[in-house]
Amino acid sequence: MSLSDPRVSRLLNEAFVPVVFSMHLQGPGVDDPARAFINAQRPQGQSDIHPPDTYVVDPDGQVLGHIRYDAGVPETLAFLRDILKAHPQLAPPDPLLVSPAPPADDAEATLLALEARYDSDDKAGLVADLEAWLAQHADRLPGAAALARTLLAGALYYAGDLAGAQHHWQRIVDEHPDHPVRHRAAYNLIEPNAWPSPVHPELRDARHPDVAERGLIVPSPDLRAANLARVASDARYVQVRPDLPFARIPAGTFTMGGSPALQARELPNRRVTISRPFLLSAWPVTRRLWRHFRPDAFPGALSEGLAGDLPALQISCDEADAFVAFLSARDGRRYRLPTEAEWEYAARGGLEGKAHPWGDEPPDPTRCNYLNPRAVPVACYPPNGYGLFDMIGNNFEWVADFYLANAYALTPAEVTDPTGPTREQSAEGNSHFAWRVARGGGFIGNEMSKISHRNSWRIGWPPFFFLGNTGLRLALDLDDDSPAGPLP
């Protein structure tokens, strides 16, 4: 994120030859050589789910140094200047590139002084000074005004004026498409801590308004109303709980894995048989249900009305397991997380070999939530062939299996009811932690998220990982003989 700071971007553009490595695996910008370079340089033990670090390479391909992807602005500036000092033969003959350049005039000097205060002082106290600077200098210095507006948005955010902050971030995105701070503004419009977008360092110490406070998004109210009416009347749904209906999933056989595969962890493909029908919740566990388990997680208005229909997110797998045990005891049912095979089988909705629950057509804003900057209430998009909503998009979902990148290779090419690697196998392959599988692809707010919005996409996280748009969906066996009695 430090690369979006104007000071860093200016140094990069004037003293280096900046190269953007695309990590995309599909569509425009696929960059196999860059990906091969990054994978060869990845530090020992660093997971492939982390963003790539920043590398400096000389004309002969020798790596001169690298800095972590999450380094702050001062650390990045010092790193780049140290590279120039250590290799003066590669640096342009300009001593100002090694030291901070002086401002061009008094207005820029004033703005730099405000930026220094922003980095060290009470940010909320700078609102009036930044507004005054923009009123006086924005027309004459539009480039500097983009930085001033970025600082003002952050100051307003710290002052609790979310609407004002969002207005200025959006204005930067709209009016400064080529300015380095545009990325920073667009990033801050995404709901904080939505994987893979941790809070920008400049906002780390602020209070982050809940998604319900940021403004609920309902893409198509009429479609959602029709979906809810269908769930209430269609016989294929089982009303196990008034706040969490279940859909009937038949037994069957399917090809599990890449269709097509965009990452090695989706391979090899296997013919998997799900030997018994089961029930899967029609949508993820919502805030309304989660508050019975953690009343303090979404207090008051954050889980009432339409906000109660938001999926419960930023849930670790440890918490998900605890919730399953809690609700099972409360209801007298044996709820569980679906296995990874059950999840993918259900997501496909009876469509064999298709990329998405609806077929091979690419994701778009009418099919799933991938472009919105935050989660939307459940059942806002059409269901798949089994009547399931939001199997991809809106949020990631924990499943029961432990994670290994090569998990599919550990079973035969034809297998019945696979349950994934053992805890010990997962721990051995993941830095001594038994990781768990997440599925489904959550909102990310940009086109890059399409890579995860596929039936076969999978990822692994430590069971205590919670910073993300990750929730859960429940499964039930149809032959449940718990005290509540057989399911209808």
Side-chain angles (χ1 to χ4, degrees), residues 22-32 260 262 362 447-448 450-451 454:
S22 171
M23 294 292 101
H24 288 192
L25 290 172
Q26 63 177 341
V30 171
D31 190 348
D32 291 333
L262 297 180
E447 293 291 339
M448 184 187 74
K450 286 182 178 179
I451 192 174
R454 297 178 295 110

Side-chain angles (χ1 to χ4, degrees), residues 77-252:
L77 286 171
F79 164 72
L80 294 175
R81 288 174 180 144
D82 286 345
I83 292 288
L84 294 176
K85 292 175 184 177
H87 303 277
Q89 75 280 8
L90 301 176
D94 185 349
L96 292 179
L97 296 176
V98 179
S99 301
D105 62 20
D106 290 344
E108 289 194 1
T110 300
L111 180 57
L112 289 175
L114 290 172
E115 184 180 29
R117 286 175 55 194
Y118 182 88
D119 289 341
S120 60
D121 290 350
D122 174 21
K123 293 176 174 60
L126 291 173
V127 169
D129 289 341
L130 289 164
E131 288 177 335
W133 191 97
L134 281 165
Q136 186 175 358
H137 304 295
D139 292 340
R140 184 173 65 87
L141 299 169
L147 172 59
R149 202 171 297 284
T150 300
L151 300 177
L152 175 58
L156 289 167
Y157 191 89
Y158 272 88
D161 183 357
L162 176 63
Q166 290 180 323
H167 166 77
H168 286 286
W169 283 324
Q170 190 62 55
R171 187 168 172 180
I172 293 164
V173 169
D174 295 338
E175 297 180 5
H176 300 276
D178 300 319
H179 198 287
V181 297
R182 183 192 184 279
H183 174 65
R184 179 168 159 184
Y187 189 94
N188 285 338
L189 285 168
I190 301 173
E191 185 181 353
N193 284 326
W195 189 88
S197 307
V199 174
H200 192 287
E202 71 169 327
L203 303 180
R204 190 169 291 149
D205 297 326
R207 173 190 174 270
H208 305 300
D210 183 80
V211 57
E213 300 172 273
R214 296 173 80 90
L216 291 174
I217 299 171
V218 181
S220 177
D222 291 343
L223 175 60
R224 184 168 191 268
N227 286 338
L228 295 178
R230 178 189 301 178
V231 169
S233 61
D234 193 325
R236 66 179 169 175
Y237 294 102
V238 179
Q239 306 300 327
V240 175
R241 293 186 54 89
D243 46 13
L244 193 66
F246 283 70
R248 302 174 188 270
I249 313 300

Side-chain angles (χ1 to χ4, degrees), residues 29 120 180 346 367 393 414 429:
S120 60
R367 293 189 172 104
E414 296 186 12

Side-chain angles (χ1 to χ4, degrees), residues 330-344:
R330 180 187 177 101
D331 289 3
R333 298 278 189 196
R334 293 196 183 99
Y335 298 109
R336 59 182 177 84
L337 297 179
T339 67
E340 186 174 11
E342 288 174 333
W343 188 98
E344 185 172 324

